[in-house]
Amino acid sequence: MERGAQPSAGARFAGLALPGVRVPAQPGAADAERSASARGEHTHGEQPIRPVVRRSSVRGQVLDALRAALATGELRPGEVYSAPALGERFGVSATPVREAMQQLALEGAVEVVPNRGFRVIQRDSRELAELAEVRRLIEVPVILRLARAVPGERWAELRPLAEATVRAASSGCGATYAEADRAFHRGVLGLAGNEQLVRIADDVHRRAQWPSSGLGGRTELMADAAEHAALVDALVLRDLTTVRVVVEEHYAWGC
């Protein structure tokens, strides 16, 4: 690989090693008590805390990696993947992979295939169009309402999120852009102060991204990101006419 070149999505996924996933052996109660006594602490016979956070971290890392693999197409629509096989690729046991896949099933990205594993959902053009319509129905009225009510300085605070989408688009990586794209839209909708709205809209947005999301190459991603920057500029200036034009153009593609 040339110096400075980015690894392919397939190479990143197939060679992925999740750091910090091995749970170290925990000291026994007597060892913990002796160690605490040496520090002048009183343990009152406490048992060591089980590493629940570490396990959640492993599952979370696996979930993030699977989401990236879905966004890039490394996990192919229609294919069935077993938790043990994916666990070998990640260097972890099948359990966190299975838990992550079950979460993806709840999100509508995969479906359970009894005794085999999980099949990646194939979204056809009709389903993607339906998801895009749902996003428009949820988000467009909210943004237009907020444009009239939220002061310009609050919108200016979203510039870093818009700039992050431009950087992600310039990388040409669909998975990186997908995350930055959703973060920007969460930031916009978050100004409504309605956590349920943000959660539901983000879930629909994520479903629209997986798989066969319509996210194109670098040129298409850059054009989409440019609309984020244009939207923030118009919102800061309270240029409601431009806001409406940019929003209608942006959501015409379900982005």
Side-chain angles (χ1 to χ4, degrees), residues 10-94:
R12 286 197 306 272
F13 180 62
L16 181 62
L18 301 178
V21 300
R22 301 304 183 191
V23 179
Q26 295 297 310
D31 292 335
E33 192 165 338
R34 281 196 299 271
S35 177
S37 296
R39 298 192 301 269
E41 300 172 358
H42 297 284
T43 62
H44 302 291
E46 296 169 315
Q47 294 294 323
I49 298 175
R50 292 186 176 184
V52 176
V53 174
R54 288 181 179 273
R55 169 131 179 227
S56 297
S57 175
V58 176
R59 181 178 57 200
Q61 291 178 67
V62 172
L63 181 58
D64 288 344
L66 290 173
R67 284 171 171 165
L70 284 165
T72 60
E74 177 66 16
L75 291 180
R76 297 187 298 275
E79 294 289 327
V80 177
Y81 297 89
S82 72
L86 288 174
E88 288 184 8
R89 297 173 75 173
F90 286 123
V92 300
S93 71

Side-chain angles (χ1 to χ4, degrees), residues 1-254:
M1 182 178 296
E2 297 180 358
R3 186 179 184 85
Q6 295 294 322
S8 68
R12 286 197 306 272
F13 180 62
L16 181 62
L18 301 178
V21 300
R22 301 304 183 191
V23 179
Q26 295 297 310
D31 292 335
E33 192 165 338
R34 281 196 299 271
S35 177
S37 296
R39 298 192 301 269
E41 300 172 358
H42 297 284
T43 62
H44 302 291
E46 296 169 315
Q47 294 294 323
I49 298 175
R50 292 186 176 184
V52 176
V53 174
R54 288 181 179 273
R55 169 131 179 227
S56 297
S57 175
V58 176
R59 181 178 57 200
Q61 291 178 67
V62 172
L63 181 58
D64 288 344
L66 290 173
R67 284 171 171 165
L70 284 165
T72 60
E74 177 66 16
L75 291 180
R76 297 187 298 275
E79 294 289 327
V80 177
Y81 297 89
S82 72
L86 288 174
E88 288 184 8
R89 297 173 75 173
F90 286 123
V92 300
S93 71
T95 299
V97 176
R98 189 173 292 110
E99 292 172 347
M101 280 293 201
Q102 288 169 347
Q103 175 61 36
L104 292 175
L106 291 175
E107 296 175 2
V110 302
E111 62 183 357
V112 177
V113 180
N115 302 319
R116 292 185 61 196
F118 301 85
R119 178 183 290 112
V120 178
I121 297 295
Q122 173 68 68
R123 301 200 191 285
D124 58 25
S125 58
R126 176 175 178 175
E127 185 174 1
L128 289 172
E130 290 174 348
L131 288 167
E133 181 181 16
V134 172
R135 287 196 63 210
R136 285 194 297 272
L137 292 172
I138 294 175
E139 298 186 40
V140 171
V142 173
I143 294 174
L144 295 180
R145 174 172 60 83
L146 292 174
R148 295 189 295 270
V150 176
E153 56 269 23
R154 293 292 306 281
W155 291 116
E157 295 173 1
L158 297 183
R159 277 210 170 97
L161 291 175
E163 292 167 356
T165 66
V166 175
R167 290 193 298 273
S170 67
S171 73
C173 175
T176 301
Y177 186 76
E179 290 297 324
D181 182 32
R182 290 197 354 268
F184 173 77
H185 283 273
R186 286 196 302 269
V188 172
L189 297 177
L191 293 178
N194 186 327
E195 294 181 2
Q196 297 302 317
L197 167 69
V198 175
R199 184 176 297 112
I200 292 171
D202 189 57
D203 178 64
V204 175
H205 195 169
R206 190 193 299 277
R207 288 171 183 259
Q209 291 175 331
W210 295 339
S212 303
S213 62
L215 288 174
R218 184 176 180 275
T219 300
E220 289 80 3
L221 297 182
M222 289 295 293
D224 190 66
E227 291 177 354
H228 293 157
L231 177 60
V232 171
D233 288 343
L235 289 165
V236 169
L237 296 174
R238 299 181 67 80
D239 182 350
L240 301 184
T241 299
T242 300
V243 168
R244 180 176 291 277
V245 170
V246 173
V247 167
E248 290 178 351
E249 176 69 20
H250 192 64
Y251 283 89
W253 302 98

